[in-house]
Every structure is written in structure tokens, then in C-alpha cells.
């Protein structure tokens, strides 16, 4: 960024233009905030909602003498089946009966997608993985605005300063979209992870802008035969540093690299971003206000993350059938909403020399203030190196300390993400779909619907949990918990159905041992027929509400798991019969 473009009075039209573009982007954010306001207002009329989902804490709860929520098996298949069936019987006999108490359910506010299903169908259509028409429209509109800012009355090759200004003017936006305590997300009622696609899109445009700026300047200096100044003049040297940082950021963010070496990606991302911002300040004073804004946003996020961090003892157990390590943290039992996740560090040398310092995200698998006394529960599937070490550690614990599991100390940073302004308990019906380890999301969501119903604070009358797994043996360790859910549903007046679908058949003796499943829990081969299941949930919800002479307040479809499954869920919602859609009060999709 040189002094080009300054008028005689010292006024810089390029600087004004990029500032106006930022004001325009803020106005767009304001418009989205206004759209989300009705739901936010309805949610926040309940005072407890102001703090729910912000900080983890411990609270005295009335615990019931329930057995372990998940059976841990330690023998062959025959023994496994005994464990499960015993656990089912035990759970059925120890649960307290009772009808919903006298709390009041939160008012339901329909989403825009329920109010305009046709438009929502169009905008929700997937063009490529993770990118719907709606998302692409937003990205293209943003590209249009940035090109306007970069090209209006300017040529990137003869006036490269403009591209430099465009670059720095977008830095606060890239940073805010990357934060976990996301102000944009809070305003539009979305978890930070749902805005990640925007962080990537804005980031790529910033990379394009800084490279355009650099090429323009180099062209200018080289064509004037002054290329040496680039490496000898300090502010240009800093410009080069910023350019290299940005290009490193870009190259190490490419999805193949990111997926293979997540922690290298993460560490370089943070270091290169900080260095880039410092270098930009040294390169041009015009960058400073934008960099200071970005530093403020990032600093606030880091402070909040420290404030949100908790260290607590935990019990670690292996669940061989699921290939998962289960972590119970009894001392932290409140403060999250169903569907939220946290970043976990396991402070044990068993995790390797660096492994204890690595944070990994996991969805909380239990309901806040759950009556089982287990507190916060995480279920972590063996997916790679770190989770493999966690599982090995859990297995070591299961040998000697089988009842409670291995004692470890964990560091939790969260909760983050979650349903935003959607109040899941305000729907009359819910179909919660999970694939594989996505069950963690489903468990906390279904449990929240049941517990809130038992407390009289949920409208949910009909709930269906659909779980797609590889083999039927995955169901074994979950039978006690599912039985407890079914019992809880019966005592609180919720029609709960749990349908487990497996794609790989297993030995006959194993299948026989799974025949003694409790009422309401089904096991079937194949992929879940989501369209048919959704129709069933909607019909049952309409029927139950009709019997009770209640106006149905819609059906929530929550989906978490592999992309084909969540896309299938999205299609099932989008292609759902319009008449039934209207009569049940709308069908709303929530993808995790
Ligand atoms: C919001 C969220 C919630 C999740 N909830 C659960 C859950 O409840 N249960 C469960 O079993 N798994 C969950 N996962 C997945 C889990 O975080 C990864 O499987 C785990 O971090 C893999 O680490 P690894 O080193 O063992 O495997 P790797 O082989 O290193 O990674 C496997 C995959 O996980 C990604 N990954 C690795 N580390 C991280 C990280 N720190 N942050 C984000 N992605 C990473 C990699 O990009 C790669 O695609 C969740 C992921 C996210 C983003």
C-alpha cells in the first residue's frame, strides 16, 4: 500500500471505499441479525436461556439410582449378550415412575424455513458437499462486493495499493469468523462451526487480494528497474513477510493437508496469522486500525476461552463394540445445551509426549444436570493417532478399575456451537438421526427432550431416534441407556421409538441374543428409510396433538454423522409432503 490515490487534501478515496464496503458488510450482518431476532427474543424471554450453553459448572442435582448408562463388555460375544440383557432388566426395575411436573414449555417460534418451505427447499439444495445454493449465493455476493471494492476506478496493475487496502480491510472479518466465541454467530443465532465455510471463503479472497497487491507492486518496481528496493526498504520487506505468511496459511489449509496433519495446520494457522498481522502493521500505517480490530476480536476470544476452561478428574472406559473411549466427568454436570461440543485435553503421559497438550473437539453425549450422576459424558471414537492413544489408555484402565474406569485428569474448553436460537424442546415432535459416532449428538438431544418433558418444560410428544451403524453389535453397549430412555419416555408421556439400522450382518448367535430388546427399540438391516420414518413421525405427532386438542408446533429433524446420511436427511425434509408439512406446523432441519 503506497500513497497512491491520495487527493491533494490528504483524503484517500480508496481508504474510504474499503471502509464503506465494511460498513455495507456490517449492514448485511445487521439484516441477518434482524431476521434471527424474533427467535432470539422468544428464546431469551426465559432468563435461564441467557446463560445456558455458555459455561460449564457443577450443580447439586437429584440423582436417581440408575445403573451404568452404557454396558462395558469384557468377554466374548456370548458373555456380551448376557451383560446387555442383565443391564436392560436392571434399568427397568430401578427407574422411578411419574408424570410430567408443572414447568411450562418454551413458546415455539417457527423458523423462516418453515414459513417459506419453497424458498428454503431451493436455497437448501446441495450443489457440492457442504455448499447449498443459499451458501453459494452468499459467497458470490461477497465476491461481487470485494471485486467492486478492488476494481472501481482502479487497475490492480497500475494502482496495486487498492488491493492491499482491500486485504487489510477484510482481516477483522476473517478473524471474527474463525473465533469459537463467535460474535457473528451469536448475532445470527448459529454456532461458530456453521460459519466456517464463510471463514474459508473470505480467507481465500484475502489471499487473492494480497497476491494481486504484491504482483502489482513487483510489476511496478521491476518495470521501473527498481526491483532491489523490494528487499532493501524495510516497509516493503515487512510486506513480503505478510505475503509469505498469507501464502503459507493458504497452502497449509488445503483440505487434504488439513485432514492429514490437523495440528500442523492449526499451529501454523495461528502463528502465521499473528505474524502476518504484525507485518501488515509494519508495512503500512493504513493497516493498523483493521489489525487492531482483529487483534481485539481474537484477544477477546482467547480470554473467553481461558475463562471457559475447566480442569476436572474423569473416568475413562473402553467400549470395544463401538471402538470408543467413554469419558465421564462427574464433577462437571451443568451448563451446556444438547448438541454442543467442547475441546478436550487428556492430561496424561499415556497420551504421548505431546498428546496431553493436544485439544480435540467432542460433542457432549449427556444432558446437562442429568439425574444419573455421571455428569458430563463424552464418547470418543478411535479415528486416528490421538483417539487411538485415548482408547488404548481406556483399555488399560478397564483391566484393573473396570467399575469406574481409569482415573485421568481432563481439561475442557467449552461449550461451543449447538442449536443457536433453535429451542429443540419447543417442537411437538422430533426425529433425531445419527450415523456412527454422531450418536453423541443424538444422545444428548433425546435425553434433553425427555428430561425437559419430565420437568414439564418441553412440548415434545413424539420422538424417534434413528441410528445407523455398521454392525448390530454396536447396539449391545447402548441397550441399558436406550432402555432407560424408553422408561423415562413412558413415565413422562413421550412416545419414543429407537430404530437402529445396520449395514453389515453378523453371526447368527449374536443376532439371536439381540432378539430380547425392550419395546420401542428396533434393530433392522439396511440403510434407514428416512422419508418413510419422517412421515411416520409427522403422522404420529399430528395424531397425538389432535387427540390432546393441541396445535402441533412442528417437527425437528436433527442429523449428525457422515455427509451422505445428513444429506439424505436434508433431502427427506426438503421433499416432504407440503400438506402434512403445514398441518404439523413445519418440519425443520438441524444439521450438526
Ligand atoms: C465439532 C466436532 C464434534 C465432534 N464430536 C465427536 C464426538 O462426539 N465423538 C467422536 O468420536 N468424534 C467427534 N468428532 C471427531 C473428532 O474430533 C476427531 O475424530 C478427532 O479429533 C480425531 O483425532 P485423531 O488425531 O485421533 O485423528 P486424525 O487422524 O488426526 O484425524 C481424523 C480426522 O479428524 C480431524 N481432526 C483431527 N484433530 C482435530 C481437531 N483438533 N479439531 C477438529 N478436527 C480434527 C482431522 O482433520 C481428520 O479429518 C468431532 C469433531 C468435531 C469437529
Amino acid at each position: 500500500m503506497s500513497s497512491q490515490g491520495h487527493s491533494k487534501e490528504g483524503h484517500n478515496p480508496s481508504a474510504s471505499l474499503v471502509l464503506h464496503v465494511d460498513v455495507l458488510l456490517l449492514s448485511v450482518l445487521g439484516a441477518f441479525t434482524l431476521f434471527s431476532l424474533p427467535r432470539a427474543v422468544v428464546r431469551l424471554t426465559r432468563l435461564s436461556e441467557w446463560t445456558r450453553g455458555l459455561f460449564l459448572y457443577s450443580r447439586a442435582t437429584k440423582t436417581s439410582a440408575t445403573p451404568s448408562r452404557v454396558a462395558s463388555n469384557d468377554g466374548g460375544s456370548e458373555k456380551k449378550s448376557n451383560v446387555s440383557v442383565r443391564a436392560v432388566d436392571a434399568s427397568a426395575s430401578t427407574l422411578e415412575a411419574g408424570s410430567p411436573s408443572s414447568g411450562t414449555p418454551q413458546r415455539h417460534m417457527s423458523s423462516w424455513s418453515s414459513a417459506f418451505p419453497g424458498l428454503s427447499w431451493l436455497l437448501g439444495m446441495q450443489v457440492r458437499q457442504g455448499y447449498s445454493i443459499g451458501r453459494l449465493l452468499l459467497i458470490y455476493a461477497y465476491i461481487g462486493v470485494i471485486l467492486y471494492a478492488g476494481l472501481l476506478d482502479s487497475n490492480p496493475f497500475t494502482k496495486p495499493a487498492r488491493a492491499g487496502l482491500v486485504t487489510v480491510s477484510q482481516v477483522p472479518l476473517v478473524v471474527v469468523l474463525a473465533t469459537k466465541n463467535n460474535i457473528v454467530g451469536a448475532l445470527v443465532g448459529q454456532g461458530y462451526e456453521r460459519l466456517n465455510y464463510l471463514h474459508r471463503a473470505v480467507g481465500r479472497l484475502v489471499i487473492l487480494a494480497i497476491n494481486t497487491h504484491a504482483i502489482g507492486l513487483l510489476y511496478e518496481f521491476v518495470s521501473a528497474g527498481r526491483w532491489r528496493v523490494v528487499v532493501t526498504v524495510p516497509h516493503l520487506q515487512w510486506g513480503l513477510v505478510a505475503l509469505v505468511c498469507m501464502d503459507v496459511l493458504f497452502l497449509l489449509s488445503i483440505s487434504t493437508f488439513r485432514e492429514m496433519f490437523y495440528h500442523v495446520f492449526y499451529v501454523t494457522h495461528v502463528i502465521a496469522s499473528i505474524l502476518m498481522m504484525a507485518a501488515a502493521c509494519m508495512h503500512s500505517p493504513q493497516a493498523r486500525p483493521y489489525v487492531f480490530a482483529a487483534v481485539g476480536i481474537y484477544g477477546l476470544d482467547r480470554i473467553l476461552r481461558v475463562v471457559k476452561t475447566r480442569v476436572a478428574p474423569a473416568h475413562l472406559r473402553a467400549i470395544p463394540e463401538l471402538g470408543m473411549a467413554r469419558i465421564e466427568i462427574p464433577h462437571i454436570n451443568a451448563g451446556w445445551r444438547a448438541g454442543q461440543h467442547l475441546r478436550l485435553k487428556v492430561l496424561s503421559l499415556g497420551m504421548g509426549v505431546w498428546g496431553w497438550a493436544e485439544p480435540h473437539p467432542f460433542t457432549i453425549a449427556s444432558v446437562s444436570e442429568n439425574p444419573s450422576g455421571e455428569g458430563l459424558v463424552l464418547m470418543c471414537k478411535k479415528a486416528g493417532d490421538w483417539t487411538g492413544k485415548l482408547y488404548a489408555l481406556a483399555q488399560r484402565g478397564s483391566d484393573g478399575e473396570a467399575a469406574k474406569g481409569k482415573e485421568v485428569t481432563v481439561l475442557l474448553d467449552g461449550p461451543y456451537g449447538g442449536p443457536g436460537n433453535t429451542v429443540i424442546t419447543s417442537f411437538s415432535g422430533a426425529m433425531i438421526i445419527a450415523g456412527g459416532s454422531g450418536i453423541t449428538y443424538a444422545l444428548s438431544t433425546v435425553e434433553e427432550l425427555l428430561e425437559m418433558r419430565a420437568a414439564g418444560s418441553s412440548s415434545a410428544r413424539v420422538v424417534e431416534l434413528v441410528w445407523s451403524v455398521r454392525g448390530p453389535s454396536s447396539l449391545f453397549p447402548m441397550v441399558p441407556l436406550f432402555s432407560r430412555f424408553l422408561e423415562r419416555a413412558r413415565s413422562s408421556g413421550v412416545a419414543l421409538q429407537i430404530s437402529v439400522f445396520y449395514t453389515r450382518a453378523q453371526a447368527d448367535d449374536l443376532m439371536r441374543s439381540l432378539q430380547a430388546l425392550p419395546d420401542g427399540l428396533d434393530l433392522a438391516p439396511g440403510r434407514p428409510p428416512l422419508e418413510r420414518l419422517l412421515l411416520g413421525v409427522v403422522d404420529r405427532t399430528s395424531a397425538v396433538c389432535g387427540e390432546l386438542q393441541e396445535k402441533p408446533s412442528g417437527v425437528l429433524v436433527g442429523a449428525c454423522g457422515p455427509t451422505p446420511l445428513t444429506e439424505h436427511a436434508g433431502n427427506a425434509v426438503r421433499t416432504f409432503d407440503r400438506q402434512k408439512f403445514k398441518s404439523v406446523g413445519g418440519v425443520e432441519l438441524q444439521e450438526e
Side-chain angles (χ1 to χ4, degrees):
M1 285 171 281
S2 68
S3 57
Q4 289 167 6
H6 284 257
S7 67
K8 277 183 189 145
E9 301 80 38
H11 170 70
N12 181 349
S14 292
S16 304
L17 179 67
V18 295
L19 188 64
H20 286 138
V21 162
D22 276 354
V23 172
L24 174 73
L25 294 176
L26 277 175
S27 314
V28 173
L29 173 62
F32 275 96
T33 308
L34 279 181
F35 276 117
S36 76
L37 206 57
R39 274 199 146 181
V41 169
V42 169
R43 180 166 89 84
L44 297 175
T45 46
R46 196 159 278 197
L47 277 184
S48 57
E49 288 293 325
W50 286 78
T51 50
R52 221 161 72 88
L54 289 184
F55 299 101
L56 300 173
Y57 57 92
S58 177
R59 183 178 205 164
T61 52
K62 232 175 70 181
T63 55
S64 62
T66 47
S68 173
R69 292 149 54 95
V70 176
S72 59
N73 296 325
D74 47 12
S77 63
E78 234 178 278
K79 199 171 171 191
K80 282 173 193 165
S81 67
N82 292 341
V83 170
S84 297
V85 174
R86 229 183 314 123
V88 172
D89 293 340
S91 74
S93 62
T94 52
L95 274 150
E96 78 277 35
S99 54
S101 66
S102 56
T104 45
Q106 193 140 2
R107 243 187 72 201
H108 180 73
M109 176 81 208
S110 289
S111 64
W112 292 106
S113 63
S114 293
F116 300 100
L119 186 63
S120 148
W121 172 83
L122 185 68
L123 295 179
M125 262 170 63
Q126 296 289 314
V127 179
R128 51 175 284 222
Q129 194 179 319
Y131 289 90
S132 59
I133 290 186
R135 284 185 170 191
L136 286 178
L137 280 179
L138 202 58
I139 291 174
Y140 287 133
Y142 175 73
I143 293 175
V145 169
I146 292 302
L147 287 181
Y148 171 81
L151 300 177
L152 183 74
D153 298 331
S154 182
N155 177 339
F157 292 104
T158 53
K159 291 181 180 170
R162 175 73 68 79
L165 268 172
V166 170
T167 305
V168 289
S169 72
Q170 298 308 296
V171 168
L173 184 58
V174 196
V175 172
V176 77
L177 289 170
T179 51
K180 301 273 180 286
N181 299 287
N182 200 300
I183 306 162
V184 177
L187 289 173
V188 301
Q190 302 270 342
Y192 80 92
E193 69 281 24
R194 297 214 181 107
L195 301 175
N196 210 260
Y197 77 98
L198 280 177
H199 166 70
R200 273 182 254 135
V202 176
R204 281 173 196 149
L205 231 72
V206 167
I207 306 276
L208 182 70
I210 195 172
N211 280 285
T212 308
H213 174 62
I215 291 169
L217 275 182
L218 282 175
Y219 174 76
E220 198 176 283
F221 288 124
V222 171
S223 53
R226 298 194 304 134
W227 64 269
R228 270 172 185 277
V229 296
V230 179
V231 284
T232 51
V233 176
H235 84 271
L236 292 177
Q237 288 173 337
W238 283 114
L240 268 184
V241 172
L243 174 72
V244 170
C245 288
M246 282 288 217
D247 286 342
V248 165
L249 273 176
F250 171 68
L251 290 173
L252 301 190
S253 310
I254 292 171
S255 60
T256 321
F257 183 87
R258 191 179 64 225
E259 275 158 28
M260 285 176 73
F261 307 102
Y262 186 86
H263 287 280
V264 179
F265 149 78
Y266 186 79
V267 171
T268 52
H269 219 69
V270 173
I271 294 174
S273 306
I274 293 172
L275 203 57
M276 181 277 292
M277 287 197 268
C281 285
M282 302 300 287
H283 174 60
S284 164
Q286 282 175 309
R288 286 176 196 162
Y290 295 106
V291 169
F292 293 159
V295 169
I297 293 165
Y298 185 68
L300 181 67
D301 181 49
R302 297 309 303 195
I303 291 170
L304 282 173
R305 283 170 70 171
V306 171
V307 173
K308 284 180 147 196
T309 297
R310 304 281 179 270
V311 178
H315 308 301
L316 185 59
R317 274 194 293 145
I319 312 175
E321 296 84 349
L322 296 175
M324 280 179 144
R326 182 184 146 85
I327 304 180
E328 274 173 31
I329 306 149
H331 294 291
I332 293 176
N333 66 354
W336 67 92
R337 298 172 72 196
Q340 285 193 298
H341 66 270
L342 46 74
R343 287 157 61 82
L344 166 79
K345 282 185 192 171
V346 177
L347 306 179
S348 161
L349 286 177
M351 297 302 296
V353 182
W354 298 111
W356 63 271
E358 259 183 49
H360 285 257
F362 293 99
T363 306
I364 303 170
S366 55
V367 69
S368 178
E369 297 176 48
N370 67 65
S372 67
E374 290 163 330
L376 191 151
V377 175
L378 300 171
M379 290 168 68
C380 316
K381 188 161 178 63
K382 254 191 305 178
D385 193 34
W386 190 87
T387 41
K389 282 185 192 138
L390 183 69
Y391 185 76
L393 195 63
Q395 272 183 319
R396 264 184 263 157
S398 301
D399 298 340
E401 308 157 69
K404 279 194 162 180
K406 185 170 177 59
E407 291 270 351
V408 286
T409 301
V410 292
L411 188 143
L412 310 171
D413 166 20
Y416 297 116
N421 285 331
T422 307
V423 178
I424 60 167
T425 50
S426 70
F427 292 83
S428 299
M431 181 162 107
I432 308 300
I433 305 157
S437 60
I439 189 65
T440 52
Y441 156 78
L443 293 180
S444 58
T445 305
V446 170
E447 198 173 11
E448 183 162 307
L449 291 171
L450 298 179
E451 290 304 328
M452 296 287 259
R453 179 78 205 152
S457 313
S458 165
S459 305
R461 300 273 180 198
V462 174
V463 177
E464 175 132 8
L465 193 170
V466 181
W467 188 25
S468 178
V469 291
R470 283 230 180 108
S473 63
S474 298
L475 179 56
F476 271 124
M478 303 305 285
V479 171
L481 179 58
F482 286 163
S483 304
R484 193 168 74 83
F485 279 6
L486 289 163
E487 193 61 38
R488 193 67 167 153
R490 272 190 283 276
S491 66
S492 52
V494 177
L496 172 66
Q497 172 66 41
I498 301 175
S499 308
V500 181
F501 293 86
Y502 60 91
T503 45
R504 283 190 200 158
Q506 278 175 325
D508 276 356
D509 57 337
L510 183 104
M511 298 306 293
R512 266 195 299 279
S513 64
L514 279 168
Q515 278 168 3
L517 294 175
D519 274 354
L521 173 56
D522 289 338
L523 179 67
R527 298 193 186 284
L530 297 181
E531 289 79 2
R532 185 168 60 74
L533 293 172
L534 179 58
L535 188 64
V537 172
V538 169
D539 283 347
R540 291 203 302 279
T541 305
S542 296
V544 171
C545 290
E547 267 171 41
L548 296 165
Q549 298 187 332
E550 268 180 20
K551 189 170 178 283
S553 56
V555 166
L556 172 77
V557 175
C560 180
T563 311
L565 184 74
T566 52
E567 282 186 359
H568 186 184
N571 278 335
V573 172
R574 277 187 288 278
T575 54
F576 192 70
D577 182 285
R578 283 288 153 78
Q579 207 57 44
K580 287 182 186 280
F581 182 101
K582 270 192 174 168
S583 64
V584 81
V587 178
E588 192 177 324
L589 178 69
Q590 190 190 39
E591 279 174 87
E592 287 300 319

